[in-house]
Amino acid sequence: MPSVAQGVGLRYANLTCPVRRPIAEHCSLTYVFSMASLRDDFLRFVSQTSPEPMGVEVSTSHGCIVVDTTGKEYLDLLSGIGVTGIGHTHPATVKAIKAQAERYLHAMVYGEYIQKPQVDLARRLAEITPGDLSVTYFTNSGTEAVEGALKTARKHTGRPGFVSFVGSFHGDTFGSVSVGGNPVYREPFEPLLPTTTFLPFNDCNGLQAIDETVAGVIIEPIQGEGGVRIPDDDFLPALRKRCTEVGALLIFDEVITGFGRTGKLFASEHWNVVPDILLVAKALGGGMPLGAFISTAQIMATLSHDPALAHVTTFGGHPVCCAAGIASLDVILQENLVQCAQEKGEEFVRKLKTLRGEGGCTEVRGRGLLIGMDFATPHITQRFVQECFARSLVLGWTLHEDTVVRLAPPLVISSEEIDRAVSIMRQVLGHL
Ligand SMILES: Cc1ncc(COP(=O)(O)O)c(C=O)c1O
């Protein structure tokens, strides 16, 4: 029977990328770092989320480009999944981060001290968000924004129910998984919130199921992980009407679609529908971790009493992240990136449509720079993504539709970069 130390050694030996070896039998619990690569250590020490991570070893990044440690340049058509709308490592956010870091970092848990970057960003958000959404609660991530909104809706209405939509994605904490519209990602974690009902996306007939027992209805105005699904023009207005009729809070999850991605500052503006609670994250922090749920003063007051401190966070609204968020918002507005997303999106879709019919690409659609490409089979979709990646083009899958490739490049993408991307895709499709 092997000793514990030998057992550890054996386990290491069985892995594909052993990185530590015992110096000698008699001191086999002492390990020295051998010539293990960063990749080896990544696979061993960093918890993995899939069997096949992309594994780019990042050296630097700027604009739409991520450079690996060999100097290879990747054209990023995903913006780190919707985050780097203003481009990677924008100098304005870097400058703001440095300046704030020299003033103060964490000073106190959320909601107690008055921190200028937080207050300034909240005021700026009140200016740009639709309707009378004017009070912001900052979080560290999108899923925390979802959790905050669900709790607010419950407490504000005193009702038990939630409604969500088939194909939706809202994050990976328990509340968010409970309202996630794909059973594949719910079932391993059940029991979840028992009072959630899933309705078909983009089906006005289903909306009568929303009744007086419902606290909140959560929806992405354009489904991202659901396969870049854009609703018909009557759907979101009908949803707004039904929520108002029964007194349920309408929660728009704009974690992916926010801050210009779809050619409007917020996707809800395409339909002139104002939610009761707006969720943002990803692009909000300009590359730093920041999310928020934003609502009216009346609804947000729910969280401050009976009891007080019932919804708090240590790091939400970190001053450095808020400083980056202000800088990022300035860039978006001053460089007119919302308009850019609209124009570049139309150009990209037009050029991508010339690929239809080649190598299994069947359809292309988009709003601004949130674009979906449909393929004939999951296998072709997967091969397309892999072959593009092999040619330094980063594009991606969607979680819930295995025949859709999603593109969400930085809003600063140039025509040359669009042409390069389309040309690589054409080459790949020619070989599928
Ligand atoms: C629409 C939507 N909501 C919520 C989330 C969760 O955000 P986070 O990963 O920051 O928790 C995501 C993440 O991809 C998302 O796409």
Side-chain angles (χ1 to χ4, degrees), residues 157-276:
T157 62
R159 299 174 179 182
F162 292 106
V163 166
S164 181
F165 291 86
V166 175
S168 64
F169 179 75
H170 300 292
D172 277 333
T173 50
F174 262 101
S176 303
V177 171
S178 298
V179 294
N182 184 345
V184 170
Y185 295 101
R186 288 199 309 270
E187 279 163 8
F189 304 103
E190 287 173 346
L192 297 166
L193 278 178
T195 51
T196 309
T197 304
F198 293 93
L199 301 180
F201 186 75
N202 196 25
D203 178 2
C204 290
N205 296 326
L207 299 180
Q208 287 310 312
I210 301 168
D211 62 20
E212 279 79 4
T213 65
V214 175
V217 177
I218 184 164
I219 188 165
E220 301 157 84
I222 296 176
Q223 283 193 342
E225 300 294 351
V228 189
R229 295 180 65 198
I230 305 166
D232 296 335
D233 283 344
D234 56 348
F235 181 62
L236 292 175
L239 176 60
R240 172 69 276 179
K241 184 164 174 281
R242 184 64 189 156
C243 286
T244 305
E245 274 164 12
V246 299
L249 297 192
L250 178 57
I251 305 167
F252 273 179
D253 179 343
E254 295 236 26
V255 168
I256 273 278
T257 51
F259 300 100
R261 165 69 44 208
T262 68
K264 297 273 188 196
L265 208 40
F266 299 101
S268 51
E269 293 169 40
H270 288 292
W271 297 278
N272 287 321
V273 173
V274 181
D276 297 300

Side-chain angles (χ1 to χ4, degrees), residues 67-84:
V67 186
D68 78 6
T69 45
T70 69
K72 185 171 174 181
E73 292 195 353
Y74 291 83
L75 180 54
D76 180 9
L77 298 186
L78 283 178
S79 305
I81 313 288
V83 172
T84 60

Side-chain angles (χ1 to χ4, degrees), residues 391-413:
R391 290 165 174 79
S392 310
L393 196 60
V394 178
L395 37 74
W397 63 96
T398 60
L399 274 179
H400 304 332
E401 275 300 335
D402 55 11
T403 53
V404 178
V405 166
R406 178 234 327 249
L407 310 182
L411 313 185
V412 293
I413 192 167

Side-chain angles (χ1 to χ4, degrees), residues 78-378:
L78 283 178
S79 305
I81 313 288
V83 172
T84 60
I86 59 170
H88 285 270
T89 326
H90 195 289
T93 52
V94 173
K95 190 173 162 206
I97 289 164
K98 283 183 178 164
Q100 179 55 38
E102 288 185 352
R103 277 182 223 114
Y104 57 91
L105 301 176
H106 176 86
M108 179 41 92
V109 297
Y110 187 68
E112 299 294 336
Y113 287 3
I114 299 168
Q115 305 180 52
K116 185 166 165 43
Q118 217 177 60
V119 178
D120 285 349
L121 183 55
R123 191 190 324 100
R124 296 286 301 278
L125 289 171
E127 283 162 15
I128 60 169
T129 44
D132 52 359
L133 305 176
S134 62
V135 177
T136 292
Y137 189 115
F138 287 110
T139 65
N140 303 286
S141 64
T143 199
E144 286 170 79
V146 172
E147 299 289 340
L150 297 180
K151 284 178 72 179
T152 305
R154 264 265 171 95
K155 189 158 180 291
H156 187 72
T157 62
R159 299 174 179 182
F162 292 106
V163 166
S164 181
F165 291 86
V166 175
S168 64
F169 179 75
H170 300 292
D172 277 333
T173 50
F174 262 101
S176 303
V177 171
S178 298
V179 294
N182 184 345
V184 170
Y185 295 101
R186 288 199 309 270
E187 279 163 8
F189 304 103
E190 287 173 346
L192 297 166
L193 278 178
T195 51
T196 309
T197 304
F198 293 93
L199 301 180
F201 186 75
N202 196 25
D203 178 2
C204 290
N205 296 326
L207 299 180
Q208 287 310 312
I210 301 168
D211 62 20
E212 279 79 4
T213 65
V214 175
V217 177
I218 184 164
I219 188 165
E220 301 157 84
I222 296 176
Q223 283 193 342
E225 300 294 351
V228 189
R229 295 180 65 198
I230 305 166
D232 296 335
D233 283 344
D234 56 348
F235 181 62
L236 292 175
L239 176 60
R240 172 69 276 179
K241 184 164 174 281
R242 184 64 189 156
C243 286
T244 305
E245 274 164 12
V246 299
L249 297 192
L250 178 57
I251 305 167
F252 273 179
D253 179 343
E254 295 236 26
V255 168
I256 273 278
T257 51
F259 300 100
R261 165 69 44 208
T262 68
K264 297 273 188 196
L265 208 40
F266 299 101
S268 51
E269 293 169 40
H270 288 292
W271 297 278
N272 287 321
V273 173
V274 181
D276 297 300
I277 307 180
L278 175 68
L279 313 183
V280 289
K282 293 202 183 266
L284 170 63
M288 295 291 279
L290 189 61
F293 55 106
I294 308 170
S295 188
T296 63
Q298 189 222 358
I299 291 173
M300 289 304 264
T302 307
L303 292 180
S304 64
H305 58 86
D306 301 324
L309 302 179
H311 192 75
V312 292
T313 165
T314 299
F315 286 126
H318 192 283
V320 173
C321 301
C322 286
I326 294 168
S328 171
L329 191 53
D330 282 342
V331 171
I332 291 171
L333 299 177
Q334 284 160 15
E335 297 183 11
N336 217 358
L337 294 186
V338 181
Q339 182 71 18
C340 282
Q342 174 66 32
E343 289 167 11
K344 284 289 182 313
E346 280 170 15
E347 176 184 342
F348 211 163
V349 167
R350 192 177 67 248
K351 289 174 176 170
L352 286 170
K353 282 192 168 171
T354 65
L355 301 176
R356 280 182 303 187
E358 292 187 33
C361 173
T362 54
E363 192 50 270
V364 176
R365 71 186 155 282
R367 268 293 159 96
L369 279 168
L370 184 58
I371 298 169
M373 299 174 74
D374 289 332
F375 286 82
T377 67

